[in-house]
Amino acid sequence: MKTMDKQSPAGRTKDLTEGSPLRLILAFALPLLIGNVFQQIYTMADTMILGRVLGESAIAAVGATAALYSLLIDFAIGLNSGYGIVAARLFGARNKDGLRRAVGGMAALNLFAAAALTGVSLLFLRPLLQAMNTPAGIFDQAHLYIAILCGGMAATICYNMFAAILRAAGDSRSPLYFLILSCVVNVGLDLLLTGGLGWGVAGAAAATVAAQSVSALLCGWYIVKRYPFLLPKQEDFRQMRMVLPDLLSTGLAMALMMCVVDLGSTIFQRAANRLGETYIAAHAAARRMMGVLMQPLSSVAAANSAFAGQNWGAGKEERVRAGLRQAVGLELIWGFFACGMAWLFGRELIEFVLGVSEEAVLGPAVLSLRWHLTFFPVLAVLLCLRTAMQAAGAKTAPVLSSCIELAMKVFAAWQLTPRMGFLGVCVTEPITWVLMTVFLTGAYGAQSKKRFARAALRPCSASPQGKSEPHGSQVELHGR
């Protein structure tokens, strides 16, 4: 097996298998956090500008499509998150040949995913929006907005693929710089197309697609220029079948986990849409602010995933467990802080997002924000457990936890929302987080008693002769 240096002199790759887990996770998470916050500005800018220029109906139109678009795009994002885990293991194992094959496999699989998802989504958007009970008064705006986003889905997929490759190699800074630039482009185009040229929701969607295209192009160009050791050669494409099974199994597990969650959200959104435009706008505003405050949780969890993936590939299981403990501690600190923010400044935060002061919208939005953020400490534990288990090869338990969420949201759409109204919308996810966290904590705790029973990872790569090269272990969890 060929090896590679711990750090490429041409770039910012980082070896996460040596040094303090806390320091490494924090250093890796900070660029992710900044990038995630800027990514939230994409959607936040749409809400704020549309609310001030076009009013409540435009916010409702965008909010009514949020769950459906997340379902579509998170499938591709989940695939790349899984692919990135495989690449991180290979980087940790110093397997240069396997890493190049993995990058080639990622490119081939993403090309197929972009074509399939774009075609299927555009073909079935209208019946899907009808099935989600999108109100007639905002239906055309909602359809136009999400159709433009789906038409530009390839740009989002490309950016997430390039970012996953860089993060697998320990570089979480470079994707951030391109994301910040594209965010500036997004806000500028939002103001120009929506406000200046009067394109309405179409302008907001077009601005988002253009900005995502900028970030994808720049990120891809940077990999070519600064990380040539990551670029597949012709023989790597011929031999990528050696890594495709691991890419597909890990990618599909992550995508399934995310899509099961999003499918539940889509079903749940369908029930929420029956409550009318005012409650749709309130729910959308609360989720926008939740999205911003959730970014530290997501960033630390993603950093821990990269840390766990590299160390699992290097066979350093104790560092995986140490990193998880310290990541959970960081997450809990932020979870309690966000909870306090919701109760002390919830109204001010929602007013900032909406740009309006009507109590009919503000009251339900603040109620939703406070219910959700009160349970952020629980969500913190859940996210860390999910990402660490996935990075260490445990696929079944995280997917099962997502199935629990799907079942809860289906039940809420069927029983809670019709009986409790908007309060049912507010309490469903917090209750779900508690149930999933209890489930994953039990699965992780039971397995920890067996000291993470060691089992050989299916090789992420093989020699050209087909002989496997062991480079890690795989977690076996209860229920697997």
Side-chain angles (χ1 to χ4, degrees):
M1 178 176 67
K2 296 182 179 180
T3 61
M4 57 190 171
D5 297 334
K6 287 186 177 182
Q7 183 162 343
S8 168
R12 298 186 178 89
T13 59
K14 181 68 176 176
D15 177 21
L16 304 177
T17 64
E18 300 290 343
S20 165
L22 180 61
R23 180 180 60 81
L24 290 169
I25 290 172
L26 278 173
F28 197 90
L30 183 58
L32 291 178
L33 170 60
I34 298 171
N36 286 341
V37 169
F38 272 94
Q39 197 152 22
Q40 285 297 313
I41 292 176
Y42 277 8
T43 52
M44 183 77 77
D46 289 344
T47 302
M48 294 174 65
I49 294 172
L50 288 173
R52 287 163 173 77
V53 175
L54 300 177
E56 179 185 313
S57 64
I59 298 175
V62 172
T65 66
L68 178 57
Y69 183 65
S70 292
L71 174 63
L72 295 170
I73 201 62
D74 280 356
F75 179 79
I77 293 175
L79 285 175
N80 281 291
S81 296
Y83 301 158
I85 287 172
V86 175
R89 292 180 195 150
L90 288 162
F91 186 88
R94 309 288 184 266
N95 189 340
K96 182 190 296 185
D97 292 340
L99 183 56
R100 289 199 312 270
R101 292 168 195 156
V103 172
M106 291 173 69
L109 292 171
N110 275 294
L111 179 64
F112 175 79
L117 288 174
T118 301
V120 170
S121 62
L122 290 176
L123 185 61
F124 293 105
L125 275 183
R126 188 169 290 275
L128 284 172
L129 288 174
Q130 291 170 342
M132 290 178 64
N133 297 320
T134 305
I138 60 173
F139 187 92
D140 289 339
Q141 290 187 85
H143 180 264
L144 178 61
Y145 180 80
I146 193 172
I148 294 173
L149 289 180
C150 289
M153 191 179 299
T156 304
I157 292 174
C158 284
Y159 171 77
N160 281 279
M161 177 183 68
F162 296 142
I165 293 169
L166 289 173
R167 289 166 185 159
D171 183 359
S172 61
R173 295 185 183 182
S174 300
L176 164 65
Y177 302 144
F178 303 127
L179 191 60
I180 291 175
L181 177 60
S182 66
C183 184
V184 173
V185 173
N186 183 77
V187 173
L189 288 176
D190 256 333
L191 292 169
L192 173 64
L193 300 180
T194 303
L197 299 182
W199 287 15
V201 295
T208 298
V209 171
Q212 290 172 342
S213 300
V214 169
S215 62
L217 289 171
L218 291 176
C219 203
W221 169 82
Y222 186 76
I223 290 176
V224 171
K225 298 294 290 186
R226 298 297 297 274
Y227 295 96
F229 73 91
L230 291 171
L231 300 179
K233 302 175 183 177
Q234 186 173 358
E235 59 268 23
D236 295 317
F237 284 105
R238 290 196 298 267
Q239 297 170 2
M240 69 183 181
R241 66 184 182 278
M242 301 174 184
V243 74
L244 284 179
D246 205 19
L247 285 173
L248 281 172
S249 63
T250 307
L252 287 173
M254 286 289 287
L256 178 61
M257 184 182 74
M258 295 183 71
C259 285
V260 167
V261 172
D262 286 330
L263 179 60
S265 297
T266 303
I267 295 170
F268 192 51
Q269 182 77 59
R270 180 178 184 272
N273 284 350
R274 292 176 175 173
L275 301 176
E277 294 182 21
T278 296
Y279 285 108
I280 295 174
H283 185 54
R287 296 201 70 82
R288 290 288 190 260
M289 183 52 62
M290 283 167 52
V292 172
L293 293 176
M294 192 183 293
Q295 294 318 304
L297 302 183
S298 301
S299 301
V300 172
N304 185 53
S305 176
F307 177 86
Q310 284 197 19
N311 281 281
W312 199 258
K316 299 184 177 182
E317 300 163 28
E318 181 54 43
R319 284 177 61 81
V320 176
R321 293 193 290 272
L324 176 59
R325 290 192 298 269
Q326 295 179 11
V328 168
L330 291 172
E331 297 268 51
L332 286 174
I333 291 172
W334 180 260
F336 285 113
F337 173 79
C339 176
M341 287 283 291
W343 286 97
L344 293 174
F345 307 108
R347 186 180 183 87
E348 290 78 6
L349 292 172
I350 294 298
E351 285 182 335
F352 173 74
V353 173
L354 283 175
V356 297
S357 58
E358 287 86 349
E359 185 60 32
V361 179
L362 285 177
V366 173
L367 177 67
S368 176
L369 188 70
R370 286 176 174 166
W371 263 103
H372 286 87
L373 266 63
T374 297
F375 287 83
F376 256 35
V378 177
L379 179 62
V381 177
L382 172 64
L383 291 177
C384 278
L385 285 172
R386 267 184 174 171
T387 54
M389 289 178 172
Q390 285 280 4
K395 304 177 180 71
T396 304
V399 171
L400 285 177
S401 74
S402 301
C403 292
I404 295 173
E405 180 166 348
L406 171 62
M408 283 295 300
K409 288 182 177 177
V410 170
F411 175 78
W414 174 43
Q415 291 290 335
L416 289 186
T417 303
R419 295 171 183 267
M420 300 174 62
F422 191 71
L423 181 60
V425 175
C426 297
V427 304
T428 296
E429 283 187 315
I431 294 173
T432 303
W433 295 341
V434 172
L435 290 176
M436 289 188 296
T437 301
V438 169
F439 171 76
L440 283 183
T441 301
Y444 178 83
Q447 186 57 40
S448 292
K449 294 178 182 178
K450 301 177 182 178
R451 198 181 168 274
F452 264 25
R454 296 179 65 95
L457 273 174
R458 175 167 65 249
C460 288
S461 67
S463 65
Q465 290 77 23
K467 295 180 180 180
S468 64
E469 298 173 354
H471 53 270
S473 304
Q474 185 165 349
V475 178
E476 295 291 338
L477 292 173
H478 266 344
R480 180 164 177 149

